[in-house]
């Protein structure tokens, strides 16, 4: 079985209800040609999850993602959203551990391990984000740093559970900066991460895990980056807010 290739959108905290509706309508105005291994996941803000699910419900290979969930099952956690709630509206994916959540909401590797568990328990596919800051890249310690993020948040999982995870490598210095990692830098890290997975779970399991690249992906660079052997698509912020741009990103999937 070939690995899934995924174009994932991360709308972050953008768009009003009407703008979200318009973007969904533009994206799906025409049939998007997807091959057997190609998938689309749209990470939309919580208030629009149901709207987006209704829009893509009958479209094969297209699913909706929440951008976070809480560690706990239910209860007195004002303002939080549980994995069960998210799954109950028909959402398939949840983005976990985005660097903005790690930075502004102090999400730790340990907390993310709990979020991964509760997401899986509710049948959601975690899109688990990892990636290093510029200072770590400059010190050339990025491989160990990102490897540790996987180890501390994912390596308690069984092989069968790990197979349900999608990883997104997003170097923080490339997010929203217009400064993408080169295709070579992306491939190098993705190959490293696949080796880290293989060392723990074996080559066969590691070869099944989609590893997406994120950080200033856009229509004009998607094909080159996604063309790398260990890059299985992208997690796309800014460029996912414009239909024509994101459609070009999708067309860059291999
Ligand atoms: P960007 O964001 O594409 O705007 O760089 C990517 C992300 O943060 O997921």
């Amino acid at each position: 079985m070939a690995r899934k290739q995924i174009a994932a959108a991360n709308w972050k905290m953008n768009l009003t209800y009407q703008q979200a509706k318009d973007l969904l309508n533009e994206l799906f105005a025409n049939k998007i040609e997807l091959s057997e291994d190609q998938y689309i996941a749209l990470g939309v803000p919580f208030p629009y999850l149901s709207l987006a699910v209704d829009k893509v419900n009958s479209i094969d290979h297209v699913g909706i993602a929440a951008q976070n969930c809480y560690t706990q099952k239910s209860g007195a956690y004002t303002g939080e959203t549980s994995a069960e709630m998210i799954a109950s509206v028909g959402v398939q994916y949840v983005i976990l551990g985005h660097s903005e959540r790690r930075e502004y909401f102090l999400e730790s590797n340990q907390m993310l391990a709990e979020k991964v568990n509760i997401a899986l328990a509710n049948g959601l596919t975690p899109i688990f984000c990892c990636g290093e800051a510029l200072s770590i890249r400059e010190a050339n310690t990025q491989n160990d740093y990102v490897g540790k993020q996987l180890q501390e948040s994912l390596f308690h999982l069984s092989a069968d559970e790990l197979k349900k995870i999608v990883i997104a490598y997003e170097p923080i210095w490339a997010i929203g900066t217009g400064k993408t990692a080169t295709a070579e830098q992306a491939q190098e890290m993705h190959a490293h991460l696949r080796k880290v997975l293989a060392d723990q779970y074996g080559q066969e399991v590691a070869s099944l895990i989609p590893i997406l690249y994120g950080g200033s992906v856009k229509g004009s660079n998607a094909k080159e980056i996604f063309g790398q052997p260990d890059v299985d698509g992208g997690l796309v912020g800014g460029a996912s807010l414009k239909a024509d741009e994101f459609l070009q990103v999708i067309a860059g999937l291999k």
Side-chain angles (χ1 to χ4, degrees):
M1 192 181 85
R3 268 199 298 276
K4 285 184 178 174
Q5 305 293 308
I6 304 170
N10 179 8
W11 289 4
K12 307 191 181 183
M13 196 175 75
N14 290 298
L15 309 179
T16 61
Y17 180 74
Q18 189 57 50
Q19 290 167 334
K21 222 166 159 175
D22 291 346
L23 179 51
L24 288 167
N25 285 338
E26 282 175 52
L27 276 173
F28 300 106
N30 297 303
K31 186 173 188 309
I32 302 175
E33 294 301 332
L34 295 171
S35 69
E36 200 187 330
D37 302 321
Q38 295 175 341
Y39 290 80
I40 297 171
L42 300 179
V44 312
F46 283 115
Y48 317 143
L49 286 175
S50 278
L51 168 79
V53 165
D54 287 348
K55 185 75 193 176
V56 306
N57 236 345
S58 58
I59 311 178
D60 282 347
H61 290 216
V62 182
I64 300 305
Q67 298 175 16
N68 179 33
C69 71
Y70 196 46
T71 53
Q72 304 300 310
K73 219 169 139 49
S74 65
Y77 302 103
T78 303
E80 289 297 326
T81 307
S82 72
E84 186 180 29
M85 291 172 185
I86 293 166
S88 74
V89 295
V91 168
Q92 288 176 29
Y93 301 88
V94 59
I95 299 171
L96 292 178
H98 190 281
S99 59
E100 288 148 18
R101 295 214 56 89
R102 291 175 187 262
E103 181 179 352
Y104 307 134
F105 304 97
L106 308 181
E107 295 194 358
S108 64
N109 292 343
Q110 288 68 26
M111 184 190 294
L112 290 167
E114 291 179 48
K115 292 192 175 192
V116 164
N117 289 346
I118 202 145
L120 288 175
N122 285 282
L124 294 169
T125 298
I127 300 176
F128 177 79
C129 303
C130 55
E132 80 286 357
L134 186 59
S135 57
I136 292 167
R137 168 79 43 178
E138 282 171 350
N140 201 27
T141 52
Q142 67 273 12
N143 283 5
D144 286 351
Y145 182 86
V146 181
K148 193 165 169 229
Q149 289 180 320
L150 299 197
Q151 194 187 347
E152 293 189 353
S153 298
L154 300 180
F155 281 11
H156 62 285
L157 299 174
S158 68
D160 279 345
E161 288 167 335
L162 189 88
K163 284 186 202 162
K164 297 179 183 147
I165 304 279
V166 173
I167 291 172
Y169 167 62
E170 301 202 305
I172 297 169
W173 45 271
I175 295 178
T177 56
K179 194 173 152 189
T180 20
T182 62
E184 292 72 31
Q185 281 172 323
Q187 169 56 24
E188 196 180 33
M189 177 59 86
H190 284 225
H192 168 67
L193 294 180
R194 207 175 298 288
K195 182 172 180 309
V196 168
L197 294 174
D199 288 347
Q200 182 74 12
Y201 291 96
Q203 193 57 50
E204 201 189 321
V205 173
S207 73
L208 290 173
I209 310 296
I211 308 181
L212 317 184
Y213 169 80
S216 299
V217 172
K218 53 189 183 201
S220 58
N221 61 21
K223 202 175 172 66
E224 193 198 352
I225 298 171
F226 300 170
Q228 300 299 309
D230 286 291
V231 179
D232 307 308
L235 178 57
V236 186
S240 72
L241 296 170
K242 293 197 194 94
D244 52 348
E245 191 75 28
F246 192 59
L247 288 169
Q248 259 190 67
V249 169
I250 295 167
L253 287 173
K254 65 176 176 275

